[in-house]
Amino acid sequence: MAIKFVAYLCVATFLVSVVASDSNILNSNVFHVSMDEDLKYRLDWTFDRSQKIMTFTVHVKTTGWVGFGISPYTGKMPGSDVVIGWVDNNGKAYLQDRYATGRTLPELDSSQDYKLVSGSESNGTTAIKFWRKFDTGDTKDLKLDTGTTRLIWAYNNKDPVSTSNIPMHNKMGTRSVNLFERMPEKDKPVLPSDYQTYDFRVPNVSVPNAHTTYWCVGLRMPELTEKNHIIRIDPIITKGNEGVVHHMTLYECESDPKWHGYSSDCSSRNMPLHLTRCRGGAVVAGWAVGGESSVFPAHTGLAIGQKTDPKFTVIEMHYDNPEGRSDFVDTSGFKIFYTRQLRQYDVGTLTMGHAVTPTMMIPEKQDEWNITGYCPQMCTERAIPMAGINIFGVFFHTHLAGVALYARHFRKGKELPLLAQNKHYDFNYQEVLYLRNEIKMLPGDSLAITCSYKTANRNTSTVGGEATKDEMCLNYVFYYPKLPFSVCVTYASYTDLVPYFTKLIIQGRMPNPTPNSTTSLAESVRKTVIGDSALIKELHDLETYRAPDMYCSYQNHSIIMDDLRLSKQAIPKYKIVENMPYVYCNP
């Protein structure tokens, strides 16, 4: 049963890089991103945790005005907190704090809380540097928060006629960014002189015209005779396919090398069992939409080349093709950078959360619905050694209905500080959250991963599944030293939910699924309209208060423990606290 459920696991991860500096005050321009695809608008920033101040510098290829703003988690202009700056012909710099009430010139804020530091023009580029507090106290300014921040940008090729007569932008756009939990540029290790590269790419796949396709390809690891460390991983996305390649994952595999180059729909009946079993196991690399290159911390690397290291892999591609086009040919994948100059520790990855199963059900028309998956004490006490593991990054993953995720840490019945959170999750920007300080996880510790969903615009229920419109609640933990421990998830028991599903079927709210068919059950859930507050509360209580089933395994899918059914005492007693979008556990 457990292995059957794990077959639904879909990893949308992206291997991690370095932990942010321990110092509170970071040096100028530690972080930067390009805001546009044309590389004409670059944003640099830094922050001071003790003073709670963020400093931004925009570099834009224009001699006109430039705009920068923080969107209210929509990526759209209305409601945005905006600044407009320029440098006149005499070299004088201007900066205006404004707020957008619509798609017109943002209004001038009576409280000018963005402070100009400097402005200059050189070689056709305008640079404006300014700072603001994380929380200015102005109701027209948006707070700077952890997790995903949605930014907007704009510029014009001409300066304003006056401080109040500002012409409309020539270019504009939006970009989601993780401002806080990010790798400082100065901490990225330099590639060693002996580094080599190796590509894992799918071989000219004709992307099916189905909305959702999972495509699998067997690929050999580079043939090495001694231990090496992978220290960097770059995504390779075929030009023109940026909109169809949703995510891709590279799994360790014990398959025969004769399957090198085997390419097929992952759900095909002809898919070799050896390759099928590799899905949902230990992760070598991963990327999801919006992700960037990955560089490991300077003291860690992903080991390859030893007798016990993986010799074979399966790359799993998630193609999202809502238009049903048949003209996409894909060669996307990963480029790994590896070296014989070994780091101190081997990196491991661990999948946690709620297993992707059709018993995961979210009702229609919900402003907020929480689902929690656990990695409980009874698993970690068997899998983690006494010295523990050091967690340095996490990657959260849900789909379109997901709006927030929280990872909580428990030890001996007491809740420790929050491991990580993203209160403003953006499906189109899936990145690793780098922990500012590494977290020690000991045997017997528990983690709870809570995902918050919004289905207010959906007319039918949402099911746990692989399709983009289905849902997941997963967290990928990156740590050292590496263990064979690879999966620790829970899921709502089918046995507990059968009476509930039966009630829905009898009342005509849910189509009757084909017996013993998980695919049919998922399709029935997708078509279900619960439509009754008492029934919705009953589902909430089943998913929240009933002890779940668990899957706890090594990377080769062998079970760590025999008892897969959690007792009610195996997880903390908990309740939903009003106005808090996650489960609160009482010791």
Side-chain angles (χ1 to χ4, degrees):
M1 175 67 76
I3 294 175
K4 183 177 181 181
F5 276 116
V6 168
Y8 287 90
L9 281 173
C10 152
V11 182
T13 187
F14 165 103
L15 284 180
V16 102
S17 68
V18 70
V19 180
S21 170
D22 286 338
S23 65
N24 286 332
I25 301 177
L26 302 179
N27 294 326
S28 179
N29 298 340
V30 172
F31 310 98
H32 70 255
V33 296
S34 176
M35 299 286 280
D36 64 334
E37 294 181 355
D38 298 329
L39 306 181
K40 292 184 177 181
Y41 195 124
R42 193 185 82 184
L43 172 68
D44 297 342
W45 75 97
T46 185
F47 53 87
D48 183 329
R49 292 186 186 274
S50 62
Q51 299 293 326
K52 297 183 179 180
I53 289 174
M54 181 81 70
T55 301
F56 297 103
T57 307
V58 296
H59 304 265
V60 188
K61 292 183 180 179
T62 183
T63 55
W65 65 262
V66 299
F68 170 81
I70 302 163
S71 170
Y73 309 111
T74 63
K76 297 179 181 179
M77 187 173 175
S80 292
D81 178 10
V82 177
V83 292
I84 295 177
W86 66 94
V87 179
D88 67 16
N89 293 332
N90 297 318
K92 182 179 179 180
Y94 297 81
L95 186 77
Q96 296 180 343
D97 181 356
R98 292 175 172 265
Y99 61 95
T101 58
R103 297 183 180 278
T104 58
L105 176 64
E107 297 183 19
L108 195 66
D109 196 337
S110 59
S111 177
Q112 293 288 300
D113 298 303
Y114 286 79
K115 307 300 182 182
L116 177 67
V117 177
S118 62
S120 64
E121 277 185 9
S122 178
N123 299 321
T125 296
T126 296
I128 304 285
K129 186 175 183 177
F130 52 94
W131 64 268
R132 58 155 287 180
K133 295 180 179 179
F134 295 172
D135 182 0
T136 67
D138 183 354
T139 58
K140 294 183 174 62
D141 292 337
L142 299 179
K143 296 179 182 180
L144 297 176
D145 206 348
T146 57
T148 302
T149 301
R150 290 169 175 83
L151 304 176
I152 59 174
W153 58 268
Y155 63 89
N156 190 289
N157 294 326
K158 296 181 179 180
D159 286 340
V161 176
S162 68
T163 56
S164 60
N165 187 354
I166 301 175
M168 187 175 179
H169 53 71
N170 296 128
K171 296 281 188 179
M172 56 85 65
T174 182
R175 167 80 195 247
S176 288
V177 173
N178 174 7
L179 292 174
F180 290 93
E181 296 89 358
R182 193 177 180 90
M183 177 177 59
E185 296 296 323
K186 64 184 180 62
D187 286 348
K188 291 182 178 179
V190 177
L191 287 172
S193 58
D194 71 334
Y195 82 87
Q196 299 184 63
T197 65
Y198 187 86
D199 289 355
F200 298 90
R201 305 180 70 156
V202 298
N204 293 310
V205 171
S206 295
V207 178
N209 58 11
H211 188 150
T212 298
T213 300
Y214 280 74
W215 197 271
C216 290
V217 179
L219 297 168
R220 286 193 298 263
M221 275 284 192
E223 297 182 4
L224 303 172
T225 58
E226 59 182 326
K227 182 177 180 179
N228 282 246
H229 266 152
I230 297 173
I231 55 176
R232 172 174 160 179
I233 302 170
D234 288 356
I236 305 170
I237 309 300
T238 302
K239 188 174 182 179
N241 289 3
E242 294 84 359
V244 73
V245 179
H246 174 266
H247 79 254
M248 52 190 183
T249 308
L250 193 68
Y251 296 104
E252 292 184 12
C253 194
E254 296 181 352
S255 180
D256 192 311
K258 72 179 181 180
W259 296 112
H260 175 73
Y262 184 90
S263 180
S264 170
D265 188 312
C266 298
S267 60
S268 169
R269 292 184 178 182
N270 296 323
M271 186 77 174
L273 180 61
H274 290 289
L275 303 187
T276 299
R277 292 187 67 240
C278 295
R279 298 180 68 203
V283 174
V284 176
W287 173 91
V289 60
E292 302 173 358
S293 296
S294 166
V295 180
F296 285 102
H299 56 303
T300 68
L302 188 66
I304 57 173
Q306 299 176 107
K307 184 177 180 179
T308 56
D309 291 332
K311 302 294 188 297
F312 199 78
T313 64
V314 167
I315 189 169
E316 174 193 84
M317 308 293 297
H318 175 186
Y319 295 120
D320 186 36
N321 187 8
E323 297 179 1
R325 289 173 53 179
S326 302
D327 56 337
F328 290 113
V329 177
D330 193 52
T331 58
S332 300
F334 297 98
K335 181 185 293 292
I336 65 169
F337 296 73
Y338 61 97
T339 175
R340 290 179 296 174
Q341 298 184 36
L342 303 180
R343 272 92 179 274
Q344 185 176 2
Y345 298 106
D346 293 343
V347 169
T349 64
L350 177 60
T351 301
M352 295 183 181
H354 191 292
V356 184
T357 76
T359 60
M360 176 180 170
M361 185 179 189
I362 305 170
E364 74 283 357
K365 302 297 183 183
Q366 299 300 302
D367 286 326
E368 181 180 319
W369 190 266
N370 298 307
I371 286 180
T372 299
Y374 299 90
C375 182
Q377 171 184 344
M378 59 199 306
C379 180
T380 65
E381 66 187 6
R382 291 165 171 80
I384 297 178
M386 290 300 296
I389 57 176
N390 302 285
I391 299 173
F392 60 89
V394 302
F395 178 89
F396 289 136
H397 180 64
T398 70
H399 284 180
L400 293 170
V403 294
L405 301 97
Y406 305 84
R408 304 172 67 204
H409 188 190
F410 302 87
R411 179 174 297 157
K412 296 181 179 179
K414 302 291 184 180
E415 181 166 5
L416 302 179
L418 198 68
L419 181 69
Q421 64 180 338
N422 189 342
K423 294 184 287 185
H424 311 291
Y425 179 79
D426 182 357
F427 174 74
N428 293 309
Y429 178 71
Q430 300 188 38
E431 273 281 24
V432 173
L433 298 179
Y434 312 116
L435 305 187
R436 185 163 169 258
N437 297 303
E438 294 178 356
I439 301 297
K440 177 75 74 172
M441 187 173 182
L442 298 175
D445 286 3
S446 299
L447 288 182
I449 316 303
T450 297
C451 299
S452 186
Y453 302 96
K454 185 174 183 178
T455 60
N457 296 325
R458 296 192 177 190
N459 297 320
T460 59
S461 294
T462 300
V463 69
E466 295 181 336
T468 307
K469 290 186 177 180
D470 295 339
E471 268 308 332
M472 299 182 179
C473 181
L474 296 172
N475 178 28
Y476 303 93
V477 171
F478 304 93
Y479 69 91
Y480 66 86
K482 182 180 180 180
L483 303 173
F485 189 26
S486 63
V487 179
C488 184
V489 296
T490 59
Y491 49 92
S493 171
Y494 182 77
T495 302
D496 284 343
L497 288 174
V498 163
Y500 181 75
F501 290 154
T502 301
K503 184 184 301 185
L504 295 180
I505 293 168
I506 291 173
Q507 295 184 15
R509 302 174 189 274
M510 177 178 181
N512 195 3
T514 303
N516 300 320
S517 171
T518 54
T519 301
S520 179
L521 174 59
E523 189 59 32
S524 293
V525 172
R526 292 187 189 102
K527 295 177 180 179
T528 297
V529 180
I530 301 177
D532 180 87
S533 59
L535 287 172
I536 289 174
K537 184 180 184 304
E538 183 178 348
L539 176 62
H540 166 270
D541 292 346
L542 285 171
E543 292 185 335
T544 306
Y545 300 116
R546 292 291 182 91
D549 287 350
M550 180 181 68
Y551 183 79
C552 176
S553 81
Y554 291 114
Q555 64 193 45
N556 62 0
H557 290 240
S558 61
I559 309 301
I560 290 177
M561 51 181 297
D562 295 329
D563 182 11
L564 301 179
R565 175 67 170 171
L566 293 182
S567 67
K568 292 182 179 180
Q569 290 74 37
I571 57 176
K573 294 180 180 180
Y574 53 92
K575 62 181 180 181
I576 299 294
V577 175
E578 186 177 2
N579 298 325
M580 295 188 71
Y582 55 90
V583 176
Y584 178 79
C585 296
N586 291 321

